[in-house]
Amino acid sequence: ALDYSDERLTQASLNFRGPLAGPLSLAANLFYTDRATESLTTGRAAPLYGGFFLDLEGPTVGSTVQIGHSKVEGERRNDLVAGAEWLDGEADATGYFTSPDDPGAVDPSDPASHNRTDRGTWAVYVQESWSPGPAWTFSGGLRLDRDRVGYDEALPDDSNTDSRSFSELSFRAGAAWNPRARLGFHASYGEAFLPPTAEQLFAFPLFGSNPDLLPEDSSTWEAGLSARWGGSARLDATLFLVDTTDEIVFDPDSS
């Protein structure tokens, strides 16, 4: 009954979408968020071990800018987009153990942990879609991501300060064929990566972390069809394969 979580979220954004000269268009976004959370976790073992109170706060600012170019000549259509993304945020966290005698009471003068995490990411991408006629559409794109994670711990170990950076070039391509208005086939291939979090790298409580972790990489193959007949009958079927390497999993028995 003591457990709770109070959160305050402040956010603001500025968005623009409109035409530029000729066939060019622009879409842009700028946003700011600030999140503050106070949470108490006790559980059934609180009469023996007490609880844990976490005070977390941190702002995030980011932006996306995308330029598009569309060209139509008869039944042929070409759409090209290029853009960039940027995000920078930090989180300041302070933790307190509470007493088994009064697991809901927090002593602000006696923190058990205090750390700051910062994360910065940016990406640039380009994608093109080309339709030589009404039946076929081909697409392809490239995306370059760079991600940096920094961690600075004051308590309980002020020597636990480090940072890691990751970058990856991802590719995607696809094709769609619609031989009839109510029948379509599609196939695609895509790559993605997921960097490890600051907790996985530097600050997993009790069990330790692994600063040598690599990002998860995945490749996805997909093929499918869509068919409609009658007034409301429809069939959608997709076959896909996801191949993941360097998957990050929790292993409590690792040394």
Side-chain angles (χ1 to χ4, degrees):
L2 297 175
D3 289 14
Y4 70 89
S5 180
D6 289 335
E7 183 175 80
R8 185 195 77 243
L9 177 64
T10 303
Q11 60 182 13
S13 64
L14 180 64
N15 303 280
F16 173 83
R17 184 181 182 91
L20 296 177
L24 297 177
S25 62
L26 173 66
N29 167 273
L30 176 66
F31 71 90
Y32 168 85
T33 64
D34 184 75
R35 185 186 301 270
T37 304
E38 293 183 350
S39 61
L40 175 66
T41 304
T42 56
R44 297 184 179 181
L48 298 177
Y49 303 104
F52 188 77
F53 178 81
L54 180 64
D55 185 2
L56 176 68
E57 183 174 7
T60 300
V61 62
S63 177
T64 302
V65 178
Q66 178 176 291
I67 295 178
H69 178 277
S70 296
K71 185 177 181 181
V72 179
E73 294 180 345
E75 294 186 337
R76 294 181 297 177
R77 180 183 180 93
N78 181 267
D79 294 288
L80 177 67
V81 296
E85 298 177 1
W86 162 71
L87 183 139
D88 187 69
E90 64 179 34
D92 194 294
T94 306
Y96 305 83
F97 288 113
T98 62
S99 170
D101 298 329
D102 190 2
V106 179
D107 182 3
S109 66
D110 187 25
S113 65
H114 184 203
N115 60 73
R116 173 170 291 184
T117 302
D118 63 90
R119 185 157 210 159
T121 65
W122 63 262
V124 291
Y125 60 90
V126 60
Q127 178 170 305
E128 184 173 17
S129 176
W130 176 59
S131 298
W136 286 95
T137 300
F138 302 93
S139 63
L142 289 172
R143 178 183 175 98
L144 175 63
D145 287 271
R146 182 171 177 83
D147 185 274
R148 180 191 178 278
V149 183
Y151 181 76
D152 184 8
E153 182 175 290
L155 290 173
D157 182 7
D158 59 3
S159 65
N160 188 12
T161 300
D162 205 348
S163 64
R164 290 288 308 279
S165 296
F166 310 95
S167 62
E168 188 92 8
L169 181 65
S170 304
F171 170 76
R172 63 177 300 176
W177 177 45
N178 295 87
R180 299 178 181 177
R182 293 177 171 264
L183 178 64
F185 301 89
H186 71 271
S188 65
Y189 169 79
E191 299 172 343
F193 93 117
L194 179 66
T197 65
E199 186 177 60
Q200 293 166 340
L201 289 167
F202 310 119
F204 196 86
L206 300 181
F207 294 99
S209 301
N210 183 1
D212 297 323
L213 288 174
L214 298 175
E216 295 184 4
D217 285 292
S218 64
S219 300
T220 302
W221 300 85
E222 182 177 309
L225 65 89
S226 177
R228 292 179 294 164
W229 62 92
S232 59
R234 177 166 182 162
L235 172 66
D236 292 292
T238 301
L239 179 67
F240 64 90
L241 172 66
V242 181
D243 183 17
T244 302
T245 58
D246 296 319
E247 185 175 4
I248 299 173
V249 296
F250 172 61
D251 182 6
D253 297 325
S254 64
S255 57

